[in-house]
Amino acid sequence: MPQSPASPTSRTALLVIDAQESFRQRPFWRDDDLAVYFERQQALIDGAVARGVPVVQVFHVSAGAFARESGFVRTLEELRIDPTFTLDKTKHSALAGSTLGAWLVQHGTTRLIVSGIRTEQCCETTARAASDAGYAVDFVTQATLTFPMTHPRTKRELSVAELKERTETVLVDRFARIVTVEEALAAV
């Protein structure tokens, strides 16, 4: 049975969700927050590796720039990652319709650290699904990346900061602990 995030005996895995070149091909791609994201994501990856935490790299695969044959379904060039396990997903949640759940059970994983692209979409959806499946979830917002979005009816643009704040608000104490890179690694 999965244990609470504070439990020192938890078996942890780091999820790096959709940190792939496919996103550079999308019209909403912006460089605004990249330096901070790359630094924080790499610190999380390196810290997990140093602590013996398995790193699971998740790629979103669908059509266009997200099709395997596009050549863009590969790690963002700024990141250095040697994953313990790699999987493709076709849904927003890394747990839906993929081999991730079976891999986590096989490895006795009880706690997940969620990071990657996009904060309010695949990262948040994975965090919710993982919590519902009984995993303790640490959501590392500073190691997630997203882009502004425009509300379809009001036409108001929601900033990256607003999207991240919204994600933290709906996840905290319901689906995940909201933590920094250092806090996530300290709990390993």
Side-chain angles (χ1 to χ4, degrees), residues 4 8 21 28 39 47 68 75-76 86 89 91 106 116 124 131 135 138 143 145 149 154 170 179-180:
S4 72
E21 288 292 333
F28 53 74
E39 189 278 324
R68 275 271 170 210
T75 307
L76 285 163
T86 303
K89 69 175 181 61
K91 309 280 187 206
Q106 179 184 4
E124 180 181 324
S131 174
Y135 293 94
D138 278 356
L145 181 68
M149 295 178 73
T154 67
V170 299
V179 296
T180 65

Side-chain angles (χ1 to χ4, degrees), residues 50-126:
R51 289 162 178 78
V53 172
V55 177
V56 177
Q57 185 168 24
V58 181
F59 289 110
H60 188 87
V61 178
S62 59
F66 289 86
R68 275 271 170 210
E69 58 272 11
S70 74
F72 297 117
V73 181
R74 65 181 191 277
T75 307
L76 285 163
E77 62 187 51
E78 292 86 350
L79 294 176
R80 294 174 322 282
I81 184 170
D82 183 18
T84 310
F85 179 63
T86 303
L87 69 121
D88 290 349
K89 69 175 181 61
T90 59
K91 309 280 187 206
H92 290 96
S93 170
L95 289 161
S98 76
T99 58
L100 179 57
W103 187 89
L104 294 170
V105 168
Q106 179 184 4
H107 290 85
T109 306
T110 58
R111 177 175 164 257
L112 299 177
I113 302 171
V114 176
S115 68
I117 303 176
R118 293 181 67 179
T119 309
E120 78 292 349
Q121 293 183 36
C122 296
C123 295
E124 180 181 324
T125 303
T126 298

Side-chain angles (χ1 to χ4, degrees), residues 8-69:
T9 59
S10 292
R11 297 276 319 250
T12 303
L14 168 61
L15 303 183
V16 181
I17 300 170
D18 302 348
Q20 63 196 72
E21 288 292 333
S22 307
F23 280 102
R24 278 196 219 272
Q25 313 312 308
R26 304 297 294 153
F28 53 74
W29 177 266
R30 293 191 188 177
D31 294 341
D32 304 356
D33 299 318
L34 286 181
V36 171
Y37 166 69
F38 287 135
E39 189 278 324
R40 297 284 64 204
Q41 181 71 81
Q42 194 64 59
L44 187 57
I45 292 166
D46 293 346
V49 170
R51 289 162 178 78
V53 172
V55 177
V56 177
Q57 185 168 24
V58 181
F59 289 110
H60 188 87
V61 178
S62 59
F66 289 86
R68 275 271 170 210
E69 58 272 11

Side-chain angles (χ1 to χ4, degrees), residues 135-153:
Y135 293 94
V137 179
D138 278 356
F139 194 90
V140 187
T141 310
Q142 61 184 200
T144 67
L145 181 68
T146 197
F147 311 94
M149 295 178 73
T150 301
H151 190 282
R153 288 191 305 270

